[in-house]
Amino acid sequence: MNDHPIPRPEHPRPQLYRPEWRCLNGEWEFEVDLGDSGLERGLRTRELAERITVPFAPESELSGIGRTDFMEAVWYARTVDVPAGWDGHRVLLHFGAVDHDATVWADDVEVARHRGGFSSFTADITEHVTAGGPVRIVVRARDSRHDAQARGKQATWYENSHAQYTRTTGIWQTVWLEAVPAQHVVRLQLTPDLAGRTLTVGSRLSGNHAGHEVVAVLSDAAGTVAEGRARADLDLAPSVALAVPDDRLRPWNPQDPFLYDLVVTLLDGDGAEVDRVQSYAGMRSVAVDGRALLLNGEPVFQRLVLDQGYWPQSLMTAPSDADLVRDIELGLRAGFNGARLHQKVFEERYLYHADRLGYLVWGEFGDWGVRGLGVKGHNQQPTASFVTQWLEVLERDRNHPSIVGWCPLNETDQALHDRITVLDDVTRAMFLATKLADPTRPVIDASGYSHRVPETDVYDSHSYEQDPEAFREQVAWSADGSPYVNLSHAGDVISVDYAGQPYFLSEFGGIWWDPDAAARDGSGDGEDAYTSWGYGTRVRDEEGFHRRFEGLTGVLLADPRMFGYCYTQLTDVMQEQNGIYRFDRGDKLDVERVRKAQLRPAAYEDGDRRY
């Protein structure tokens, strides 16, 4: 292995931190397995032919491979020395994300199988390692273009076009080792109760032992705010309720994203420390009052931007931690107070920075990948693994105060009729799973298009109408109090009736502005979905962009019944040229003017909830 700096060396999980860990990013052996015959051909046990830089996908430039053709399977291998000081600990091998179906071996013994390209997983390799000794880790990732699977915006045809992009295969988030005590905290579940001035700290443990106790300490810059303890030998997941004094309570919000430090310790019967994890928490609430969606009891208009999380040189993986921070700062600079994290599960470091910077986000699953699979009326057939993967995401991310809502599905498009379909089953399953895993946040059953759960917490629609006046007429509420609702592309009814929930337009805009193309041909013609694409006709100049942006946002800001919007999108992504910023994050228009257009007063925030 080489001596180059380790890419993405920061701890990948700030909400459950222990100091005994080792980043495994960097150079790995690598080989493409076009026919998925590698197991028969001995790839599991021999040296692989190429070298790749993890955690960058082999399709990306930063991986050192840069192969964008389809790869049915890929293999990784690396020999790792386990630190000598880890003797007596459990050794966990963590994967941030591997696309799509992963099998992991440690010294030629299978230690994990995992399906899903967006959710994290862990293998306990303790029985296959010796502290101070080497272990050979081998990973095979299968990623077929032909299977029904959740792939987000990854194109299933060779060239990227329209709103589909270059694929991601194999490892694309941090790989790391962690030493944990034999008895340890597996996961924290943090639930703020702002009305009760209480933070409940649940601790899922590896086991319960007589005399063990969990201690949770919440603190701020002035010292301890609250401390509590609970027996750890009665309940599988003991919880501690921490009462926050009134004079130490600072509700988390975009203007003051205050985070408390949290330390959770597992003690044995003699009071000796068995395990200790560092975390943090924010105290905030989300509530529904009629059509109003409230943050800490107040109507906060959500000026969201669609963020797809792609970079030119690294695709779905941020080149550096600073790039994650920069995207949030770019959104704030343009006047957005949050983002819809679109068709991708963002890494935990992004959510950590959103927590720190006060950026509101909607967590979403990258469910695209099952469109058009069947006949009309049964044309979308998500699998059971969608629910499995989404539950893994919810368990991992539910503690982040920046997340103010969940969106398991996006733009499902299937006509309603008198038979229950797979889409109905999976939509309801994902909605109910979300509510069970996290009852503290609102859930959209499916963003835009096909709402199939009558009791969905939030109702929304998408519109890419480009003329502000036509847009105003389209999204106007009807006389009976119903909002604009999407039909299918064929004009079919695809949603259950609106039932008075909080409502917002969760995709709009997408204004096609490509100054380079405008300089070449001066018109909205001559470009295509493979080189420069956006919604509607491309504006002829930057002034045209601003007039259209101001007109579209003005319609929504003036609507007292709408709690927010989500503009498409933060940056250009490859051929999709409708971002506020260029794909390389450079400026392409007057961002201050965009900011001023958005920061006009929103009618929703005037406090009138008669609607």
Side-chain angles (χ1 to χ4, degrees), residues 291 473-484 498 561:
R291 286 196 179 101
E473 294 179 9
Q474 181 187 62
V475 303
W477 294 70
S478 66
D480 67 357
S482 298
Y484 166 67
Y498 173 69
R561 309 186 199 194

Side-chain angles (χ1 to χ4, degrees), residues 75 85 114-115 156 193 206 210 279 290 298 304 412 452 487 508-509 547 573 584-585:
W75 290 75
H114 181 264
R115 167 164 288 174
T156 53
D193 175 6
S206 60
S279 188
E298 299 296 329
L304 308 178
T412 50
R452 309 182 85 86
L487 299 176
F508 81 105
R547 287 198 302 269
V573 181
D584 66 3
R585 277 53 178 178

Side-chain angles (χ1 to χ4, degrees), residues 177-210:
L177 283 178
E178 183 184 31
V180 301
Q183 304 303 321
H184 59 276
V185 176
V186 176
R187 179 75 66 180
L188 297 178
Q189 190 174 69
L190 311 180
T191 306
D193 175 6
L194 192 60
R197 305 294 199 267
T198 301
L199 176 72
T200 299
V201 180
S203 302
R204 183 155 66 87
L205 305 176
S206 60
N208 304 104
H209 287 263

Side-chain angles (χ1 to χ4, degrees), residues 317-605:
T317 311
S320 71
D321 194 54
D323 286 291
L324 295 173
V325 176
R326 186 184 183 195
D327 272 14
I328 296 172
E329 292 176 341
L330 289 175
L332 293 169
R333 177 189 170 205
F336 299 103
N337 61 6
R340 184 173 159 219
L341 306 182
H342 187 51
Q343 281 304 288
K344 170 188 163 183
V345 177
F346 282 50
E347 61 182 281
E348 291 179 85
R349 292 289 304 187
Y350 179 96
L351 297 173
Y352 162 64
H353 294 305
D355 294 341
R356 291 192 308 107
L357 297 172
Y359 203 53
L360 306 175
V361 299
W362 285 75
E364 184 173 322
F365 185 55
D367 66 291
W368 277 18
V370 294
R371 297 166 67 92
L373 291 180
V375 299
K376 183 177 180 180
H378 297 273
N379 53 288
Q380 295 203 244
Q381 299 177 24
T383 67
S385 74
F386 281 49
V387 184
T388 304
Q389 295 168 51
W390 181 236
L391 282 168
E392 291 175 332
V393 172
L394 293 169
E395 181 184 42
R396 194 196 76 174
D397 292 345
R398 73 176 300 280
N399 293 337
H400 291 279
S402 58
I403 297 177
V404 293
W406 296 111
C407 175
L409 298 167
N410 174 70
E411 287 190 352
T412 50
D413 182 1
Q414 181 173 290
L416 288 176
H417 48 74
D418 67 347
R419 291 188 180 275
I420 297 172
T421 68
V422 170
L423 180 61
D424 292 302
D425 284 336
V426 173
T427 302
R428 186 161 191 82
M430 295 184 80
F431 175 81
L432 292 175
T434 310
K435 297 299 293 183
L436 284 170
D438 180 13
T440 71
R441 292 178 177 89
V443 183
I444 303 173
D445 60 341
S447 183
Y449 293 18
S450 202
H451 292 290
R452 309 182 85 86
V453 176
E455 67 270 31
T456 181
D457 294 320
V458 172
Y459 205 102
D460 67 346
S461 299
H462 297 173
S463 171
Y464 286 105
E465 171 60 53
Q466 295 295 298
D467 178 77
E469 287 308 311
F471 182 66
R472 186 188 308 277
E473 294 179 9
Q474 181 187 62
V475 303
W477 294 70
S478 66
D480 67 357
S482 298
Y484 166 67
V485 177
N486 293 117
L487 299 176
S488 76
H489 295 298
D492 298 311
V493 174
I494 56 177
S495 290
V496 297
D497 292 338
Y498 173 69
Q501 300 99 326
Y503 177 90
F504 75 133
L505 210 66
S506 59
E507 284 187 35
F508 81 105
I511 300 170
W512 181 11
W513 170 231
D514 182 348
D516 299 328
R520 287 195 301 271
D521 62 36
S523 74
D525 302 321
E527 303 300 320
D528 60 38
Y530 295 91
T531 58
S532 180
W533 178 83
Y535 292 91
T537 301
R538 192 184 72 222
V539 293
R540 303 303 177 91
D541 53 30
E542 185 179 332
E543 180 61 28
F545 171 91
H546 289 295
R547 287 198 302 269
R548 190 179 294 182
F549 183 86
E550 290 160 2
L552 295 174
T553 54
V555 169
L556 304 180
L557 287 165
D559 189 339
R561 309 186 199 194
M562 202 171 295
F563 72 82
Y565 59 61
C566 181
Y567 179 80
T568 302
Q569 60 182 326
L570 181 65
T571 73
D572 296 341
V573 181
M574 298 177 187
Q575 71 282 345
E576 191 173 351
Q577 304 289 315
N578 54 12
I580 300 296
Y581 300 93
R582 293 182 183 270
F583 195 18
D584 66 3
R585 277 53 178 178
D587 287 351
K588 69 172 185 178
L589 45 80
D590 183 350
V591 178
E592 183 58 30
R593 187 167 173 183
V594 171
R595 178 181 177 84
K596 288 181 179 178
Q598 292 207 83
L599 295 186
R600 290 171 290 177
Y604 170 75
E605 293 181 316

